[in-house]
């Protein structure tokens, strides 16, 4: 499958970031969004992220095929209006990024499916709605799947590729190959579970974090420090399974040893967490809000965001973003 031209439907937070990533990999991008001012907003966003993308490129993130007729260029995209219309037939891969509403996505997917070539993969960025919920009006639903990025997709390597039960094997492998070709780390999620995988993990950790802060066990600032100075850096290098194997002395035997050794204690912690689940009451939400506001005192959030994104670029430059291995173990 040769992908030279990508269609982007919806250029909000996610669609605009995908556009930058695809441009940085030498692809031609055709974009559409019905919102007034969307074209100007996209242009100014792309200008703002282009320096970071150029830095990442020079770090060795592979470009598109060397025989590509397109070189990485910020001007290699075309904003064509509210819909891709007659340009649908020109795209080799379609990334849909419209608002998270089943009715809207159902209508939009029917339009896209009727217009793009039948061999073109249609990937939805949806973070919560599985594609089985919005393919009812598609003639070729077998090439529809979820390609769920982590925000912002031009910096975060993970893309969760989530097929529905009738997505074809070739659509899955074409999507995996395509995301890998633009320096992402695609992960094939084999079943349509709510929230997919990364957001479920995030929800599990955040629920406990909310509970601890709302109960006054720790402040929001100190809880954030617990993550950024321990689990965060560790898990950025090795995931929880590999970390557990190392913690137990190495190898799968080490992993099993750790579970047998620490398992009983951690089961008590988990039972305690289940007894003290965050209750989502207004009082608890207010308590969290007040602790977060203490943490934010005197800080400029925009500046912090900018620093976070700059540091992420440096971090991925060191670590690399593509499929790699740690002492022979695929990460
Ligand atoms: N924001 C995130 O952190 C995040 C992360 C991963 C995935 N997602 C998913 O990405 C998708 C887009 O989210 P977002 O955060 O970019 O939303 P957003 O509100 O920033 O952008 C949505 C864009 O879609 C446009 N739009 C509205 N109707 C449209 C139509 N009929 N056709 C084409 N475009 C249309 C809007 O004008 C807007 O620009 C959602 O499915 C969301 O779940 C979001």
């Amino acid at each position: 499958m040769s992908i030279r031209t990508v269609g982007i439907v919806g250029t909000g937070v996610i669609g605009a970031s995908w556009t930058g990533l695809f441009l940085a990999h030498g692809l031609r991008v055709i974009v559409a969004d019905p919102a007034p001012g969307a074209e100007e907003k996209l242009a100014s966003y792309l200008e703002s992220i282009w320096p970071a993308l150029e830095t990442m490129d020079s770090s060795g993130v592979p470009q598109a095929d060397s025989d590509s007729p397109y070189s990485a260029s910020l001007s290699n995209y075309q904003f064509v209006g509210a819909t891709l219309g007659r340009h649908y037939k020109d795209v080799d891969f379609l990334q849909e990024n419209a608002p998270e509403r089943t009715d809207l996505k159902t209508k939009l997917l029917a339009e896209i499916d009727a217009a793009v070539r039948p061999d073109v993969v249609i990937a939805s960025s949806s973070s919560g709605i599985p594609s089985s919920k919005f393919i009812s009006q598609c003639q070729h639903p077998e090439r529809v799947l979820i390609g769920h990025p982590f925000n912002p997709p031009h910096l975060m390597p993970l893309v969760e590729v989530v097929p529905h039960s009738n997505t074809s094997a070739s659509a899955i492998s074409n999507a995996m190959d395509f995301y890998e070709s633009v320096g992402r780390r695609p992960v094939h999620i084999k079943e349509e579970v709510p929230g997919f995988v990364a957001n479920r993990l995030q929800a599990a950790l955040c629920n406990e974090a909310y509970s601890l802060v709302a109960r006054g066990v720790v402040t929001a600032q100190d809880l954030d420090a617990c993550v950024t100075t321990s689990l965060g850096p560790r898990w950025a290098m090795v995931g929880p399974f590999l970390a557990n194997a190392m913690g137990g002395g190495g190898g799968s035997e080490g992993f099993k040893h750790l579970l047998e050794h620490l398992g009983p204690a951690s089961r008590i912690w988990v039972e305690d967490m289940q007894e003290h689940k965050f209750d989502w009451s207004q009082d608890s939400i207010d308590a969290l809000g007040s602790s977060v506001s203490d943490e934010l005192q005197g800080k400029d959030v925009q500046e912090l965001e900018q620093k976070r994104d700059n540091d992420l670029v440096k971090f991925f430059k060191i670590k690399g973003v593509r499929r790699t291995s740690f002492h022979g173990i695929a990460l």
Side-chain angles (χ1 to χ4, degrees):
M1 185 190 52
S2 173
I3 294 173
R4 302 277 190 230
T5 304
V6 183
I8 291 280
V9 172
T11 59
V13 172
I14 295 301
S17 172
W18 275 128
T19 304
L21 177 77
F22 297 147
L23 287 173
H25 284 80
L27 297 163
R28 180 181 166 220
V29 190
I30 309 182
V31 296
D33 192 298
E39 182 172 4
E40 294 72 25
K41 207 167 142 198
L42 174 66
S44 120
Y45 177 75
L46 290 174
E47 284 283 351
S48 74
I49 63 168
W50 196 249
L53 286 167
E54 283 184 318
T55 315
M56 284 181 78
D57 288 343
S58 67
S59 77
V61 175
Q63 300 292 294
D65 297 347
S66 54
D67 61 351
S68 164
Y70 306 106
S71 56
S73 162
L74 184 52
S75 57
N76 210 3
Y77 79 97
Q78 195 182 354
F79 186 98
V80 295
T83 158
L84 285 187
R86 66 189 167 83
H87 299 277
Y88 273 126
K89 65 175 173 25
D90 299 330
V91 309
D92 306 316
F93 190 94
L94 193 296
Q95 187 78 39
E96 174 274 313
N97 318 280
E100 189 79 343
R101 276 178 29 212
T102 308
D103 58 335
L104 188 152
K105 288 204 193 273
T106 304
K107 204 164 156 253
L108 189 56
L109 264 283
E111 173 187 314
I112 297 169
D113 173 68
V116 298
R117 298 190 313 268
D119 61 309
V120 169
V121 172
I122 303 173
S124 170
S125 295
S126 170
S127 33
I129 312 172
S131 60
S132 57
K133 299 278 185 221
F134 52 75
I135 50 170
S136 58
Q137 294 171 30
C138 292
Q139 296 299 310
H140 295 287
E142 69 283 353
R143 43 57 179 280
V144 178
L145 43 73
I146 301 291
H148 173 236
F150 236 54
N151 187 33
H154 72 273
L155 291 182
M156 289 293 186
L158 177 67
V159 184
E160 293 176 300
V161 173
V162 194
H164 57 80
S165 56
N166 292 318
T167 304
S168 68
S170 63
I172 298 167
S173 67
N174 287 345
M176 297 285 290
D177 289 349
F178 172 62
Y179 290 128
E180 204 168 337
S181 77
V182 290
R184 301 305 85 188
R185 171 53 160 109
V187 170
H188 178 190
I189 310 292
K190 297 187 181 89
E191 209 179 304
E192 286 186 317
V193 288
F196 313 134
V197 170
N199 274 334
R200 283 175 82 101
L201 294 174
Q202 178 167 248
L205 187 73
C206 283
N207 260 286
E208 179 56 13
Y210 300 156
S211 166
L212 289 169
V213 174
R215 288 164 65 200
V217 175
V218 67
T219 63
Q221 181 161 14
D222 284 347
L223 189 132
D224 277 349
C226 286
V227 175
T228 58
T229 59
S230 67
L231 295 174
R234 176 188 286 168
W235 284 348
M237 301 314 295
V238 291
F241 283 95
L242 200 46
N244 282 351
M246 290 170 173
S252 61
E253 283 310 311
F255 175 78
K256 283 193 281 183
H257 169 70
L258 189 93
L259 258 59
E260 283 153 11
H261 180 60
L262 288 183
S266 97
R267 282 173 66 181
I268 294 170
W269 306 338
V270 171
E271 278 160 19
D272 188 69
M273 286 177 215
Q274 282 163 349
E275 258 175 55
H276 295 95
K277 271 189 204 150
F278 184 63
D279 62 10
W280 296 94
S281 67
Q282 196 55 52
D283 282 351
S284 299
I285 292 173
D286 290 346
L288 294 187
S290 148
S291 195
V292 172
S293 138
D294 291 344
E295 179 177 11
L296 286 172
Q297 205 129 49
K299 295 188 177 110
D300 178 331
V301 178
Q302 266 190 333
E303 227 174 72
L304 281 178
E305 268 180 18
Q306 192 63 52
K307 178 167 166 36
R308 178 200 61 185
D309 290 352
N310 291 343
D311 287 351
L312 275 175
V313 171
K314 286 184 219 150
F315 170 74
F316 287 126
K317 242 176 123 169
I318 296 166
K319 182 180 184 284
V321 295
R322 304 190 82 211
R323 233 167 238 180
T324 180
S325 70
F326 189 93
H327 293 267
I329 299 168
L331 298 179

